Amino acid sequence: LWPFRVSPTLPNSAVSAMHSSGCPQPYREAADRMQHVTTIRPAPNKVLLSTAYMTWGAALLGLRDAQGADQMLAKSIEINPTTSAGYDLWADVKRQKGDIPAAERLHRRALENSVLFENYAEVATLWFKLAWQNNAPLSRNQFSNPGPGRD
């Protein structure tokens, strides 16, 4: 999981990426941080705010709260409907809930959005997929728009 934490040295709830291990405590800490980032001092940038909700959703999914994760991903997409990573993570949530048609629809939307790839502020999810399962290997995000000479 790549949770964000509020940096006390940066204004407006600026967030910085921090990698954590796969045990439940970091998921809880990440969820708590994202609640703070999104409600107490929300980021003024819609992509950062959307990414915070996406990270909150991944943390909740890691805590096995698929319903809460579903709500956070819906909010993330509402804020930034051009995200690829958000739609793909939301597809994971739907798969966990057993809603395969919705998961497939959301995954297709993620692929469609990947051609709009101007969401570079999603730095934490730009190259790596958010891991929500314990001991999940770090995997490359499939929406990094690889092209000729760029693997």
Side-chain angles (χ1 to χ4, degrees):
L1 177 64
W2 287 86
F4 295 101
R5 67 177 159 196
V6 175
S7 172
T9 61
L10 298 174
N12 300 317
S13 299
V15 291
S16 58
M18 175 192 85
H19 183 268
S20 67
S21 64
C23 63
Q25 184 59 29
Y27 291 121
R28 177 80 272 145
E29 290 172 4
D32 292 345
R33 284 188 195 117
M34 294 307 95
Q35 182 176 16
H36 179 81
V37 167
T38 58
T39 59
I40 296 171
R41 296 184 64 196
N45 177 298
K46 76 173 188 170
V47 177
L48 287 176
L49 185 58
S50 171
T51 302
Y53 275 104
M54 184 173 35
T55 304
W56 191 356
L60 291 173
L61 198 56
L63 291 169
R64 306 298 183 246
D65 179 1
Q67 185 60 35
D70 198 6
Q71 293 170 357
M72 293 305 113
L73 272 295
K75 184 68 175 175
S76 174
I77 299 302
E78 176 186 326
I79 294 167
N80 182 20
T82 63
T83 177
S84 294
Y87 274 103
D88 199 51
L89 183 57
W90 203 8
D92 286 347
V93 171
K94 295 297 186 182
R95 264 186 222 95
Q96 288 299 307
K97 293 176 75 175
D99 190 348
I100 303 306
E104 290 172 356
R105 179 180 48 80
L106 291 167
H107 180 72
R108 278 192 305 275
R109 183 66 186 268
L111 291 172
E112 291 167 7
N113 280 359
S114 69
V115 300
L116 306 172
F117 205 62
E118 293 183 15
N119 53 357
Y120 295 108
E122 291 181 305
V123 174
T125 58
L126 182 60
W127 296 108
F128 301 103
K129 185 171 181 169
L130 289 169
W132 56 268
Q133 295 173 313
N134 290 343
N135 301 313
L138 188 62
S139 61
R140 197 159 168 204
N141 188 327
Q142 62 183 330
F143 305 112
S144 62
N145 268 348
R150 296 184 302 175
D151 288 28

